[in-house]
Amino acid sequence: MSVSVPTRSRFRWFLVSFVTLGIVSSVALWAVGITGAEIHLVAMFLALLVTSELFPPVADEQWWRWLLLVKLVGWLVTLYVLFERVSGVIQ
C-alpha cells in the first residue's frame, strides 16, 4: 500500500517522519522516567522500522539499500540488548 509519490519526496517524508517519531518517543520515555541509552536505541530502531514501512521507495534506490543494512544492524543491536536484559534476569 504505497502512494505514488516521487522517490526524492518519499525520502524527505521518510527523514522527517523518522526524526519526528524518534524525538517524540525519546521525550516520552524520558518523561516516564526511562533514561537508559539501550532502551532509547531500541525505540529509535522501532521508529526506523515504522517509517521505512510507511515510506518505501517507488524504484530501487541506493538509499533504500543502505537502509536495509542499517535495519540489519538495528536487529543485531536489539537482539544484544534483549540478551543482556534476559541474562541479567536469569542470573
Side-chain angles (χ1 to χ4, degrees):
M1 181 181 151
S2 65
V3 181
S4 179
V5 178
T7 304
R8 181 163 289 176
S9 177
R10 289 176 92 58
F11 180 65
R12 191 172 303 126
W13 273 104
F14 167 77
L15 281 180
V16 169
S17 300
F18 172 65
V19 169
T20 303
L21 190 57
I23 290 172
V24 167
S25 65
S26 290
V27 168
L29 286 172
W30 179 76
V32 199
I34 301 173
T35 58
E38 296 168 336
I39 301 300
H40 286 277
L41 281 175
V42 172
M44 290 298 287
F45 176 59
L46 290 175
L48 176 71
L49 289 178
V50 168
T51 54
S52 67
E53 288 300 317
L54 289 175
F55 301 106
V58 177
D60 188 28
E61 293 290 324
Q62 183 70 27
W63 67 271
W64 185 254
R65 284 183 249 137
W66 280 106
L67 185 63
L68 292 177
L69 182 64
V70 170
K71 287 186 344 184
L72 175 65
V73 170
W75 279 114
L76 293 175
V77 169
T78 302
L79 289 175
Y80 173 75
V81 169
L82 182 63
F83 176 77
E84 288 293 317
R85 294 282 177 148
V86 169
S87 66
V89 170
I90 291 175
Q91 294 176 357

